[in-house]
Amino acid sequence: MNLDFSEDELALKAEARRFLEARCTSSTTRAVLDDDAISFDRELWRSLVEMGWVGARIPEKWGGSGLGHVELCAIAEEMGRVIAPVPFSSTAYIFAEAIINHGSDAQRERLLPEIAQGRAIGCLATSEGPGAAGMEAIQTEVVGGRLSGTKAPVTDGDIATHAIVSAREGNASGLYVVALSGDGLRRETLRSIDPTRSVARLSFDEAVCEPLGKSGDGAALLSGILDRAAIFLAFEQVGGADKCLDTARGYALARYAFGKPIGANQAIKHKLADIYVKNQLARSHAYFGAWAFAEGGTELAKAAAAARIAGTQAYDFAAKENLQTHGGMGFTWEADCHLHLRRSRQLALSIGGLPAWRERLVRSLESQVLGLGNSDGLY
């Protein structure tokens, strides 16, 4: 079994790295971080649309690039290396995937061309405060095609044009598509650890909505959406973790103390080696997740949970050790270490924290051992 990228996929990955390293430097990210009036880099967003990456998974008949899951995974890894301040993951990994896989024909015809052309930005609104955003705990309600309730925090909720919202309708739970330009909506941007990926509180008051998929299938639909997003985000986390390792190694070789590079010290060598080991473990899980994605078999839920856990742990560890390797300079605003530390924490929580994903992994393994098949609605 060969889980590595093909030659074409490696070529796409190399081109993505060249483009992003030239177009999205740390100054690009800092421009958004330093200005409270800017939520994302619109010029970079337009460039990603023109490259066909925002609509990478959208079929060509709807204006997309028609690429596969693995190609988007390759792009995701490079997006993670540059800490891109754009709503790419919310739109490409979550919203577009949800509409492609679960939308009606009318929803696909209407929304997918808008996504591919960069006019539609999506977000996923499930959380209603601290704790796991399980479908059984939601208070947001749909009555007569109108949605009421509050969701917070919602990643990219302050700039999104559309949202997928979890809600109850009678005794059933479901997911609903809401255009965020209509009446019955109030937005509030919230402070967060990573302002380059903004979060918001969305308050709905009888906002017009339409169901995504079948009524009552909300838990199963959400579980599948999160599994797919987890694999894409795992590649983004691997990209960020690898960049942290490269940065730490470069600094360790260039910074001299007592006449020799600090990288010659055993303590620094151990730090770099530990980062490398965790990164390779996370990469292995991410590749397995991409394979499960492409195969479309019963391994997806387990692979997604494992990739999510390993990716989160690797990026968090690499970001912290990169900062420590830089010593006193690492804690300063001028150093870029805190940019990765911020993004690692943001990605760690964007689709649920580690406790929820560990529970998903355990239940997936349990179901597999007991021969129960995939377990839906674990989150």
Side-chain angles (χ1 to χ4, degrees):
M1 181 187 300
N2 182 10
L3 299 181
D4 202 357
F5 291 113
S6 67
E7 289 186 9
D8 289 343
E9 291 157 357
L10 288 173
L12 172 64
K13 192 169 181 291
E15 178 60 29
R17 179 171 298 188
R18 283 193 294 269
F19 172 81
L20 289 170
E21 286 183 346
R23 180 60 189 81
C24 186
T25 62
S26 64
S27 61
T28 305
T29 303
R30 284 177 176 275
V32 177
L33 178 64
D34 292 338
D35 192 338
D36 292 338
I38 303 176
S39 296
F40 70 109
D41 190 309
R42 295 182 182 275
E43 287 298 324
L44 176 59
W45 181 249
R46 277 193 287 268
S47 297
L48 297 179
V49 171
E50 292 170 359
M51 295 290 287
W53 295 349
V54 176
R57 282 273 300 123
I58 297 174
E60 293 180 2
K61 66 178 180 178
W62 288 309
S65 301
L67 300 178
H69 297 108
V70 178
E71 286 85 353
L72 185 53
C73 287
I75 295 171
E77 183 175 344
E78 300 309 316
M79 294 290 291
R81 288 182 63 90
V82 298
I83 329 174
V86 288
F88 189 81
S89 61
S90 297
T91 303
Y93 309 160
I94 298 176
F95 189 68
E97 283 290 318
I99 300 301
I100 291 170
N101 290 285
H102 307 299
S104 65
D105 290 340
Q107 288 170 335
R108 294 189 185 106
E109 291 283 351
R110 185 177 74 254
L111 294 173
L112 293 182
E114 293 290 299
I115 297 170
Q117 294 165 19
R119 292 197 294 263
I121 295 174
C123 65
L124 179 66
T126 57
S127 176
E128 297 185 358
M135 296 296 289
E136 71 283 349
I138 57 177
Q139 299 298 313
T140 304
E141 189 174 21
V142 172
V143 177
R146 301 275 181 164
L147 183 142
S148 299
T150 300
K151 297 291 185 178
V154 180
T155 302
D156 297 318
D158 58 333
I159 58 177
T161 61
H162 295 77
I164 295 175
V165 185
S166 59
R168 294 183 295 109
E169 186 170 14
N171 294 323
S173 64
L175 298 180
Y176 298 84
V177 179
V178 182
L180 301 181
S181 57
D183 297 330
L185 171 69
R186 186 174 70 257
R187 309 193 207 208
E188 178 189 355
T189 302
L190 304 176
R191 293 181 63 84
S192 70
I193 192 171
D194 183 10
T196 65
R197 288 297 308 281
S198 58
V199 296
R201 176 181 291 110
L202 301 182
S203 300
F204 302 97
D205 184 11
E206 297 188 352
V208 175
C209 65
E210 56 181 340
L212 180 69
K214 296 180 180 179
S215 177
D217 287 350
L221 293 180
L222 180 58
S223 182
I225 290 170
L226 291 174
D227 283 343
R228 290 188 288 271
I231 294 171
F232 290 131
L233 288 175
F235 274 92
E236 196 165 308
Q237 290 168 316
V238 166
D242 273 353
K243 181 63 175 179
C244 288
L245 176 58
D246 291 347
T247 304
R249 177 181 178 275
Y251 185 81
L253 293 176
R255 175 72 167 89
Y256 275 68
F258 304 107
K260 64 179 182 180
I262 63 171
N265 296 317
Q266 191 175 47
I268 300 297
K269 291 180 180 179
H270 285 176
K271 283 183 181 295
L272 300 181
D274 288 343
I275 296 173
Y276 177 80
V277 169
K278 288 184 181 292
N279 287 7
Q280 290 302 101
L281 179 62
R283 183 177 295 278
S284 297
H285 281 295
Y287 277 32
F288 180 53
W291 172 84
F293 224 158
E295 290 294 308
T298 59
E299 300 284 348
L300 180 58
K302 177 180 68 176
R308 171 66 175 167
I309 294 167
T312 299
Q313 291 176 332
Y315 196 11
D316 178 72
F317 183 80
K320 290 188 295 188
E321 291 301 292
N322 177 38
L323 189 150
Q324 293 288 341
T325 301
H326 280 71
M329 282 297 299
F331 287 85
T332 65
W333 187 264
E334 290 73 17
D336 288 340
C337 300
H338 66 95
L339 301 180
H340 278 287
L341 186 62
R342 290 169 182 270
R343 182 56 60 90
S344 71
R345 299 296 171 85
Q346 190 276 331
L347 290 179
L349 297 172
S350 61
I351 56 170
L354 281 180
W357 283 96
R358 288 190 180 107
E359 180 68 15
R360 286 172 68 90
L361 178 59
V362 169
R363 292 195 183 183
S364 179
L365 292 170
E366 183 182 60
S367 297
Q368 189 176 51
V369 170
L370 297 178
L372 300 178
N374 289 332
S375 294
D376 292 325
L378 302 181
Y379 182 72

